[in-house]
Amino acid sequence: MNDLLPQIVVLEIIVKGVIIGIVASAPMGPVGVLCVQRTLNKGRAYGLVTGVGAALSDILYALLTGYGLSLLYDVISNRDTIYWMQLVGATIMFIFGLHTFRTNPVQNTRNVSHNKSSLVRNGVTGFFITLANPMIMLLFLALFTPFNFVMTEMPMFYQFVGYLSIFGGAMLWWLFITFVVNKLRKHFDVRGIWIINRVIGGAVMIGSFVGAILIATGTVSLH
């Protein structure tokens, strides 16, 4: 059994990282809408590289969040502190889900030129649009806390796997959304983005509400 422990730990880190990456990327904010618009106007490759840029920016904020939490490790490793931080994290996630559910994607639409320019340029704009929103760190804080995803207290290999998994989860989302939009390009419009936001927001609210109840009642602890 002890021989399997490292593999189990790595698998757990990968699953948590992928979930965090997907949840952090899924809401249709400015970069999500831009990704959809570029997919429709320029082709899937241009939408996908926009997502790559966003995912790279997400990793930067994830690193800042993880290393920031590591500075407080002695405090947050206390069992009572973890309990309350998990509840706060679930509450933040519920608010985030509600905000996503109510967000009007029309507000995030922008004029997108049909001029394809370069893939690199499209990726760079995706990176900086995401980087311009430091509130993403609050989202990562809400995601890291319930999962106890403080990577800097782990061996370097586990840290690498964890953050790579977050990037992988983000890329899974961008691969999925650009595939769907590209396949349904004749039927996909602002209403399609609105529906995605409703589904994602509803799922996040339900998941965070159930998680908060389980944590509050002591039924489950996610650390």
Side-chain angles (χ1 to χ4, degrees):
M1 182 65 181
N2 289 335
D3 293 337
L4 293 176
L5 186 59
Q7 289 90 332
I8 294 174
V9 171
V10 169
L11 180 60
E12 180 182 356
I13 291 173
I14 291 174
V15 171
K16 289 180 178 180
V18 168
I19 293 173
I20 290 172
I22 292 174
V23 174
S25 301
M28 289 287 106
V31 74
V33 174
L34 183 61
C35 174
V36 170
Q37 289 179 303
R38 284 178 172 172
T39 301
L40 292 173
N41 295 335
K42 301 181 180 183
R44 188 185 179 196
Y46 290 86
L48 186 58
V49 296
T50 302
V52 172
L56 291 173
S57 184
D58 283 342
I59 283 297
L60 178 60
Y61 277 125
L63 286 166
L64 290 173
T65 304
Y67 278 91
L69 285 173
S70 71
L71 297 177
L72 303 173
Y73 183 76
D74 290 339
V75 175
I76 65 177
S77 60
N78 178 274
R79 186 175 182 85
D80 290 336
T81 304
I82 291 176
Y83 171 78
W84 287 109
M85 287 189 69
Q86 287 178 336
L87 283 181
V88 170
T91 302
I92 293 174
M93 285 306 301
F94 183 86
I95 296 172
F96 169 75
L98 179 62
H99 173 73
T100 300
F101 186 85
R102 298 180 61 185
T103 296
N104 182 0
V106 176
Q107 298 174 348
N108 291 320
T109 56
R110 59 185 67 204
N111 293 325
V112 177
S113 171
H114 286 72
N115 181 14
K116 293 186 176 181
S117 63
S118 70
L119 289 173
V120 172
R121 181 178 177 181
N122 283 262
V124 169
T125 56
F127 176 84
F128 281 107
I129 289 173
T130 305
L131 192 66
N133 182 19
M135 292 301 291
I136 293 174
M137 290 183 66
L138 183 62
L139 174 58
F140 277 118
L141 179 63
L143 288 167
F144 279 22
T145 303
F147 285 116
N148 197 30
F149 207 76
V150 184
M151 299 301 301
T152 51
E153 297 302 316
M154 296 183 175
M156 186 61 68
F157 173 73
Y158 290 160
Q159 294 182 41
F160 176 78
V161 170
Y163 289 111
L164 184 63
S165 298
I166 293 176
F167 180 80
M171 288 311 305
L172 282 175
W173 170 254
W174 295 119
L175 284 166
F176 169 75
I177 196 64
T178 54
F179 173 81
V180 171
V181 171
N182 190 54
K183 288 293 184 182
L184 302 178
R185 61 171 50 250
K186 293 182 179 180
H187 310 284
F188 205 93
D189 53 16
V190 173
R191 179 174 173 79
I193 302 175
W194 177 78
I195 292 173
I196 291 175
N197 263 11
R198 285 294 178 103
V199 172
I200 294 170
V204 171
M205 283 192 291
I206 293 172
S208 57
F209 181 73
V210 172
I213 292 177
L214 294 177
I215 292 170
T217 58
T219 305
V220 66
S221 177
L222 297 176
H223 67 280

